[in-house]
């Protein structure tokens, strides 16, 4: 185990390039949100609702990102631009640390340039940072953890293990997929010279620190009948049951970007086999371990691997820089960089809503990109990623009209029943603009927040569903309106809005049987 601390230096030109690419990433995302012609994304409504119900955990996620959103809302407000400030900043910081990671493992100006622009223009990176979710922070925690692993290799300071434990713990408290990073690190501690660290207490201290930080979510699950485990089991069994390892591997080409395979695949091989980078083999092992775990899982979504890519982009940047060093081949590497940027701009509208919706539809048809989604739901002119940003305010307005049509005496004993957290979250969000009753919903964490009381509720406004099904619980059911929304998902369009009166089944029983964790 090397006890010497190797000084880390980065040239001024490299720092300037790193700052410019990071600043470009920040400005790109902020400006896209500032001038957005698309609305708030379905999941964002749910995250906002979660931030109104702060807890140690939620059915579908750990709590850290929700607490960050609560702080962000307190500082910046609730507008579309405001709730996306943190993802925009996080995107820029992730690019910056990808550059630092590349420099740490021996990359100079061009290696840093390649790694950073490959990440910044990757479709899945653009998409995941275009709205608020835990995925944006997940990318950051992965690259930050990798950076500290390399610092541990280079500097061998026990305190760095504690910092790494904190970062991994926070990463898991944001998204449990951070455990895949931990699994890869554990494999590297066994199969690389890093195993010498196992003779010291520090890796174990780091593991304990991570577990302590993550423990609130463990405790929440224990006290909530392991709701998150039920959620993951249902998602794998129903939502993603048709996905196969072939779908997962094919998805990497589209989501990471077709040209990026010329960076990440050679980068992975270089990290695993190169003698000159053998002490950083841990980065390749973490990526490979994650890949294997996701393949074994069988029903993994392609985007689950997204957070691991900066590790192999760094290796790819170093390899390409070394292969084309010298004046004779310099034009090749810079042409390669230009090509990545050009392809990035061509693919950008498919991942970042930079085009007006009509222009986007024309553009996607020109590229021959028909709308698809991993859940195999019916689509219209837009992919689900964009369609889920339309129709929500119109839904709130339609439900409000139905509610306003009720006698004042009936309004006090009325709730609105939404079938999913997107509808429920949108109604909660727009309740400051439209007069709406309390919203109840059996989907994920909403199921815990509201449990209808038969003694207090006499009328239910129901969004969607089948008339005959509703008649099985209500003595009187009428269709009060039909919600229509252009560009929305088909199953959120042409939705009947029912008024249900004379409820003769126990609402407690209905609620218990309607729980939907998926």
């Amino acid at each position: 185990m090397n006890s010497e601390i190797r000084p880390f230096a980065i040239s001024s030109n490299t720092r300037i390039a790193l700052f410019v690419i990071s600043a470009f990433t920040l400005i790109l995302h902020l400006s896209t949100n500032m001038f957005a012609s698309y609305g708030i994304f379905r999941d964002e409504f749910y995250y906002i609702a979660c931030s109104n119900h702060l807890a140690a955990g939620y059915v579908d996620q750990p709590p850290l990102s929700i607490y960050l959103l609560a702080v962000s809302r307190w500082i910046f407000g609730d507008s579309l631009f405001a709730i996306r400030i943190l993802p925009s900043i996080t995107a820029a910081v992730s690019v910056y640390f990808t550059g630092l990671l590349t420099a740490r493992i021996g990359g100079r100006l061009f290696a840093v340039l390649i790694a950073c622009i490959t990440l910044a223009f990757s479709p899945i990176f653009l998409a995941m940072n275009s709205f608020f979710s835990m995925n944006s922070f997940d990318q950051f925690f992965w690259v930050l953890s990798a950076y500290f692993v390399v610092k541990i290799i280079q500097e061998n300071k026990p305190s760095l293990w504690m910092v790494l434990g904190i970062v991994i713990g926070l990463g898991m408290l944001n998204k449990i997929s951070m455990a895949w990073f931990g699994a890869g690190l554990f494999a590297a501690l066994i199969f690389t010279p890093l195993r010498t660290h196992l003779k010291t207490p520090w890796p174990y201290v780091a593991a304990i620190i991570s577990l302590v930080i993550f423990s609130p979510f463990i405790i929440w699950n224990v006290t909530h009948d392991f709701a998150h485990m039920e959620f993951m089991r249902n998602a794998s069994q129903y939502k993603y049951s048709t996905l196969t390892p072939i779908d997962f591997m094919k998805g990497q080409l589209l989501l990471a970007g077709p040209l990026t395979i010329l960076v990440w695949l050679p980068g992975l091989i270089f990290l695993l086999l190169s003698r000159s980078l053998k002490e950083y083999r841990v980065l390749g092992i973490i990526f490979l371990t994650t890949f294997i775990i996701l393949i074994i899982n069988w029903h993994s979504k392609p985007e689950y691997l997204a957070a691991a890519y900066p590790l192999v982009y760094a290796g790819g940047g170093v390899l390409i820089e070394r292969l084309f060093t010298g004046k004779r081949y310099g034009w090749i590497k810079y042409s390669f960089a230009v090509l990545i940027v050009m392809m990035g701009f061509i693919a950008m509208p498919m991942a970042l809503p930079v085009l007006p919706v009509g222009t986007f539809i024309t553009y996607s048809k020109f590229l021959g990109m028909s709308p698809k989604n991993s859940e195999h739901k019916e689509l219209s002119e837009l992919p689900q990623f964009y369609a889920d940003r339309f129709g929500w305010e119109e839904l709130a307005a339609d439900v409000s009209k139905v509610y306003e049509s009720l006698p004042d005496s009936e309004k006090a004993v009325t709730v609105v029943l939404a079938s999913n957290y997107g509808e429920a979250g949108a109604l909660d969000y727009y309740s400051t603009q439209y007069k709406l009753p309390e919203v109840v919903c059996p989907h994920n964490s909403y199921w815990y927040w509201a449990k209808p009381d038969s003694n207090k509720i006499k009328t239910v406004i129901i969004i969607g569903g089948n008339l005959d099904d509703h008649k099985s619980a209500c003595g009187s059911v009428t269709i009060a309106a039909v919600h229509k929304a252009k560009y929305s998902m088909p199953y959120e369009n042409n939705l009947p809005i029912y008024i249900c009166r004379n409820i003769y089944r126990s609402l407690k029983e209905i609620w218990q049987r309607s729980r939907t964790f998926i």
Side-chain angles (χ1 to χ4, degrees):
M1 183 164 54
N2 187 6
S3 60
E4 294 183 2
I5 297 176
R6 284 167 281 172
F8 170 63
I10 184 169
S11 71
S12 57
N13 287 340
T14 303
R15 286 194 181 276
I16 291 172
L18 186 51
F19 174 79
V20 169
I21 299 171
S22 302
F24 167 80
T25 303
L26 176 63
I27 293 169
L28 173 65
H29 285 275
L30 287 178
S31 58
T32 300
N33 295 329
M34 182 177 294
F35 302 107
S37 56
Y38 299 28
I40 295 175
F41 186 61
R42 166 194 293 273
D43 291 1
E44 287 176 304
F45 289 119
Y46 175 59
Y47 300 143
I48 291 171
C50 287
S51 70
N52 290 326
H53 299 82
L54 294 177
Y58 302 90
V59 170
D60 40 6
Q61 62 189 323
L64 180 60
S65 65
I66 301 302
Y67 279 81
L68 292 174
L69 178 58
V71 173
S72 176
R73 291 177 61 204
W74 179 67
I75 297 173
F76 301 115
D78 278 345
S79 68
L80 180 148
F81 178 78
I83 62 177
R84 294 179 181 172
I85 288 176
L86 281 186
S88 299
I89 295 173
T90 305
V93 176
S94 295
V95 168
Y96 185 81
F97 270 95
T98 298
L100 288 184
L101 176 66
T102 307
R104 276 270 175 189
I105 65 173
R108 298 191 297 276
L109 174 60
F110 183 77
V112 169
L113 184 68
I114 282 290
C116 288
I117 63 174
T118 303
L119 177 64
F121 285 95
S122 168
I124 190 61
F125 181 80
L126 291 169
M128 284 187 170
N129 290 287
S130 71
F131 66 99
F132 187 96
S133 78
M134 79 291 289
N135 293 314
S136 176
F137 307 110
D138 188 43
Q139 296 168 336
F140 166 68
F141 283 121
W142 273 71
V143 70
L144 185 63
S145 296
Y147 178 78
F148 278 108
V149 168
V150 171
K151 277 180 68 71
I152 287 171
I153 294 170
Q154 294 178 344
E155 300 178 12
N156 191 28
K157 291 181 180 178
S159 60
L160 290 175
W161 276 107
M162 292 188 285
V163 174
L164 179 62
I166 293 171
V167 175
I168 293 177
L170 290 173
M172 289 185 63
L173 199 62
N174 171 70
K175 189 175 181 181
I176 63 171
S177 59
M178 191 74 203
W180 302 333
F181 183 99
L185 179 58
F186 179 72
L189 282 168
I190 295 176
F191 296 112
T192 74
L194 270 177
R195 71 178 67 91
T196 58
H197 287 265
L198 293 174
K199 299 177 182 178
T200 74
W202 301 111
Y204 310 102
V205 170
I208 292 171
I209 290 172
S210 298
L211 186 61
V212 169
I213 293 174
F214 183 62
S215 62
F217 189 54
I218 298 175
I219 295 170
W220 183 88
N221 271 278
V222 171
T223 58
H224 288 75
D225 299 320
F226 295 95
H228 188 65
M229 299 297 290
E230 180 182 341
F231 164 80
M232 291 194 299
R233 184 171 59 253
N234 289 342
S236 179
Q237 186 175 354
Y238 302 111
K239 200 173 183 180
Y240 308 126
S241 61
T242 59
L243 293 178
T244 67
I246 299 298
D247 296 320
F248 176 78
M249 289 186 285
K250 286 167 57 179
Q252 303 312 312
L253 292 176
L254 289 176
L255 296 179
L259 273 184
T260 66
I261 195 172
L262 300 178
V263 178
W264 68 261
L265 185 56
L268 173 62
I269 296 171
F270 189 50
L271 287 168
L272 292 174
L273 303 180
S274 171
R275 291 185 178 182
S276 63
L277 288 186
K278 63 180 180 180
E279 58 186 337
Y280 306 122
R281 194 162 293 160
V282 55
L283 301 180
I285 290 175
I286 290 171
F287 184 94
L288 185 61
T289 302
T290 303
F291 183 87
I292 292 171
I293 290 171
L294 294 174
I295 289 293
I296 292 173
N297 182 57
W298 201 265
H299 299 304
S300 299
K301 295 171 67 177
E303 54 262 41
Y304 287 170
L305 190 60
Y309 274 107
L311 283 62
V312 287
Y313 288 161
V318 173
L319 174 61
I320 293 170
E321 181 177 64
R322 292 183 181 181
L323 285 177
F324 301 108
T325 298
K327 294 182 179 179
R328 183 177 179 181
Y329 300 106
W331 67 272
I332 297 178
K333 64 183 182 182
Y334 285 107
S335 298
F336 189 76
V338 170
L339 191 59
I340 288 178
V341 172
M342 289 176 59
M343 289 299 295
F345 274 113
I346 291 172
M348 186 179 293
M350 310 305 295
L352 199 63
V354 293
L355 297 178
V357 63
T359 307
F360 168 79
I361 292 171
T362 302
Y363 183 75
S364 62
K365 288 180 179 177
F366 173 77
L367 294 181
M369 301 287 286
S370 58
K372 296 178 181 179
N373 70 69
S374 60
E375 299 172 24
H376 298 277
K377 293 177 178 176
E378 181 187 355
L379 298 172
S380 56
E381 296 178 288
L382 295 177
Q384 184 175 5
F385 180 63
Y386 286 156
D388 272 341
R389 307 179 191 219
F390 289 92
W392 303 114
E393 185 171 358
E394 294 91 335
L395 177 63
D398 290 338
V399 173
S400 179
K401 289 178 183 176
V402 173
Y403 178 64
E404 288 283 75
S405 70
L406 300 177
D408 289 340
S409 59
E410 191 176 4
K411 290 178 182 177
V413 292
T414 297
V415 296
V416 57
L417 173 63
S419 63
N420 60 69
Y421 65 52
E423 295 170 358
L427 295 180
D428 277 337
Y429 180 84
Y430 289 111
S431 62
T432 58
Q433 300 179 37
Y434 300 93
K435 291 185 178 180
L436 292 161
E438 178 189 358
V439 180
V440 297
C441 176
H443 190 196
N444 290 358
S445 291
Y446 259 102
W447 186 81
Y448 285 109
W449 298 337
K451 297 191 175 181
D453 186 344
S454 301
N455 296 322
K456 297 179 181 179
I457 298 171
K458 303 301 180 185
T459 302
V460 180
I461 298 173
I462 305 177
I463 302 173
N466 183 274
L467 179 62
D468 291 334
D469 290 339
H470 299 326
K471 285 182 177 179
S472 67
C474 304
S476 170
V477 183
T478 58
I479 298 178
V482 176
H483 164 66
K484 296 180 181 293
K486 190 176 182 181
Y487 301 130
S488 69
M489 288 292 289
Y491 66 85
E492 296 289 2
N493 192 19
N494 296 312
L495 279 180
I497 301 175
Y498 303 93
I499 297 178
C500 177
R501 297 182 174 94
N502 303 325
I503 305 168
Y504 52 78
R505 287 179 59 190
S506 167
L507 286 178
K508 183 177 181 181
E509 176 193 350
I510 294 173
W511 199 249
Q512 192 64 37
R513 297 177 65 176
S514 64
R515 185 176 75 174
T516 307
F517 290 176
I518 192 170

